[in-house]
Amino acid sequence: MTIERTFSILKPDATRRNLTGAINAVLEKSGLRIIAQKRLHLSRAQAETFYAVHKERAFFNDLCDFMTSGPVVLQVLEGENAITAYRDVMGATNPENAEAGTIRKEFAESIEANSVHGSDSQENAATEMAYFFSGIELVG
Ligand code: CMP
């Protein structure tokens, strides 16, 4: 059994529609535990830095516009194989391809306004959580 931590964002489409509790109910039911949480309105610089890996992609500018269009909820999740477990419960990036019962199938509006972000590797999880949280804010 490998207990991991992963980084999660509830995106502006989720906060706008008051869905943060509904989404967290799904991920908590899947066995993941929220061990850190904060609500922020990202600056343009924070969004661009966070998504720097996508800066050459055609959707980068729109993605940063969207991620700064309203508040987000930043979270660290802990659980067994948390990175894969959270990606499984999030569903495919494009909600049209997401399986029934996943967060994106149930809640996402589009590939951009897809309600949640989750780290895709241990390395990125460590980088992403360190960008927004200090060690003493992670309360496992
Ligand atoms: P996320 O996991 O937050 O990582 C990058 C985000 O870019 C992704 O979720 C999508 O919401 C967003 N995005 C917007 N357009 C695209 C696209 N064409 N392909 C992939 N991701 C996209």
Side-chain angles (χ1 to χ4, degrees), residues 57-79:
R57 309 285 291 270
F59 59 81
F60 179 70
N61 214 32
D62 287 346
L63 173 63
C64 293
D65 284 348
F66 171 66
M67 291 301 291
T68 57
S69 67
V72 295
V73 178
L74 309 170
Q75 306 183 131
V76 177
L77 311 179
E78 185 176 81

Side-chain angles (χ1 to χ4, degrees), residues 11 50-51 54 57 59 63 67 87 90 93 104 110-114 116-118:
K11 296 187 179 184
F50 181 78
Y51 280 119
H54 296 304
R57 309 285 291 270
F59 59 81
L63 173 63
M67 291 301 291
R87 290 182 73 80
M90 284 195 302
T93 305
R104 284 167 170 161
S110 66
I111 192 169
E112 178 174 87
N114 66 354
V116 282
H117 165 83

Side-chain angles (χ1 to χ4, degrees), residues 2-119:
T2 311
I3 298 297
E4 285 178 343
R5 290 177 174 178
T6 192
F7 180 72
S8 154
I9 304 180
L10 308 183
K11 296 187 179 184
D13 67 286
T15 59
R16 176 170 46 79
R17 290 177 290 153
N18 214 19
L19 289 173
T20 61
I23 291 171
N24 279 339
V26 176
L27 71 86
E28 287 184 329
K29 200 168 178 196
S30 81
L32 291 161
R33 182 175 294 273
I34 301 164
I35 64 160
Q37 187 179 59
K38 65 176 84 168
R39 184 176 173 105
L40 280 187
H41 195 137
L42 297 183
S43 68
R44 184 80 192 183
Q46 287 169 333
E48 288 182 358
T49 300
F50 181 78
Y51 280 119
V53 63
H54 296 304
K55 67 175 181 293
E56 307 302 334
R57 309 285 291 270
F59 59 81
F60 179 70
N61 214 32
D62 287 346
L63 173 63
C64 293
D65 284 348
F66 171 66
M67 291 301 291
T68 57
S69 67
V72 295
V73 178
L74 309 170
Q75 306 183 131
V76 177
L77 311 179
E78 185 176 81
E80 197 171 332
N81 299 315
I83 294 165
T84 306
Y86 184 45
R87 290 182 73 80
D88 287 348
V89 77
M90 284 195 302
T93 305
N94 186 341
E96 286 178 16
N97 303 328
E99 286 182 30
T102 62
I103 291 168
R104 284 167 170 161
K105 187 67 175 184
E106 298 301 312
F107 300 111
E109 295 180 314
S110 66
I111 192 169
E112 178 174 87
N114 66 354
S115 303
V116 282
H117 165 83
S119 310

